[in-house]
Amino acid sequence: MKKVKRVLSLAAIGSLTLFLAACSNKPVTSHSTGLWDHYIVYNFSRFIIWLSNNCGGYGMGIIIFTIIIRVLLLPLMFYQTKSMLKTQELAPKLKAIQKKYSSRDRESMVKMQEETSKLYKEAGVNPWASMLPMIIQLPIMWALYQAIWRTPELRHGTFRTYRSILYFANSGGPIYFLKFMVINGLNA
C-alpha cells in the first residue's frame, strides 16, 4: 500500500513537471494552442491587462491581480499554517521517540517509524498536509509569471508610478489599502 502511494505521488509530481515543462516561451496570443497557453496563461494575461486599463497602469494591474490570487489562496494558507502548528506541537514527542530509537539498525528504524505514524494518527496530524497548498500554488504562480513574461504589453510595460499613485489616491485606495494592511497584520 505504501509503495502504491509513493508511486502515485511520484507520478503526480512527474506529470506536473512534464505539464509545466511543456510550456513554450513564445508570446501568448488568442491563437495560442494547448491547455496551458490558451486557457490559463492567456486568460491570466487578459485579466491583468483588463485590471491595468481600469486601475491605472500595468504595475497596479499586476499588484491587484496578485492580491486577488493571494486572497483566493488564503484558505489553503490557513490550512497549511494549522498543519504546521500541529506538527510543531508534536516536535518534543518526536524528538523523544528519536532519542528512544537512536540506534541505526533496521529493527529500531522500523519501530521508530511505527511509533511516529501512531503519534501522528493519534494527534490527527498529516505531516504531508502542509505541502498540499504549495503544490496547488506552484502552477498558479508559474502561470502568473508566464503571463507577465510572455505578454508583450506586460513585459515591456512600465509601472507608471505617479499616475498609479494619483489614481489610487483619488479612488479611495488609501482607505482600502489601510484596511488590507490591518487585516494582513492581524492574520500574521
Side-chain angles (χ1 to χ4, degrees):
M1 186 67 177
K2 288 183 180 181
K3 287 185 179 182
V4 172
K5 285 184 180 180
R6 180 178 285 170
V7 168
L8 287 176
S9 298
L10 289 174
I13 291 171
S15 63
L16 179 65
T17 303
L18 286 175
F19 179 69
L20 292 176
C23 303
S24 68
N25 59 1
K26 297 176 188 169
V28 67
T29 64
S30 61
H31 303 294
S32 298
T33 58
L35 174 74
W36 181 258
D37 286 349
H38 185 69
Y39 293 105
I40 298 173
V41 176
Y42 178 70
N43 288 322
F44 271 36
S45 67
R46 292 295 111 197
F47 187 61
I48 293 170
I49 290 172
W50 180 82
L51 284 171
S52 300
N53 292 334
N54 293 315
C55 296
Y58 294 120
M60 288 303 290
I62 292 168
I63 290 170
I64 291 170
F65 183 78
T66 305
I67 290 171
I68 290 169
I69 293 295
R70 296 302 285 179
V71 167
L72 290 175
L73 294 175
L74 199 60
L76 288 174
M77 288 185 280
F78 282 142
Y79 178 73
Q80 181 181 13
T81 305
K82 281 184 192 177
S83 177
M84 185 179 64
L85 289 175
K86 286 181 183 178
T87 306
Q88 284 179 351
E89 290 173 3
L90 294 178
K93 294 178 183 177
L94 288 172
K95 285 186 180 183
I97 291 172
Q98 290 172 352
K99 195 173 189 179
K100 182 179 175 182
Y101 298 106
S102 61
S103 65
R104 293 290 180 202
D105 61 70
R106 184 165 176 79
E107 187 177 309
S108 63
M109 294 297 281
V110 169
K111 286 182 182 179
M112 184 176 73
Q113 284 180 342
E114 288 173 0
E115 273 198 49
T116 303
S117 63
K118 181 181 173 187
L119 179 67
Y120 281 141
K121 197 175 283 187
E122 288 173 357
V125 173
N126 183 355
W128 301 105
S130 62
M131 265 182 35
L132 176 68
M134 287 187 281
I135 291 173
I136 293 172
Q137 289 177 29
L138 176 68
I140 294 170
M141 292 303 158
W142 183 251
L144 174 62
Y145 171 74
Q146 289 258 316
I148 294 168
W149 184 54
R150 295 177 55 198
T151 306
E153 298 95 8
L154 297 175
R155 186 174 187 182
H156 301 297
T158 59
F159 192 89
R160 289 189 245 169
T161 312
Y162 183 70
R163 181 176 168 210
S164 298
I165 290 173
L166 285 178
Y167 180 84
F168 191 64
N170 291 334
S171 66
I175 294 168
Y176 297 115
F177 182 72
L178 288 174
K179 287 180 184 177
F180 175 76
M181 293 305 289
V182 167
I183 290 171
N184 258 352
L186 293 175
N187 289 336

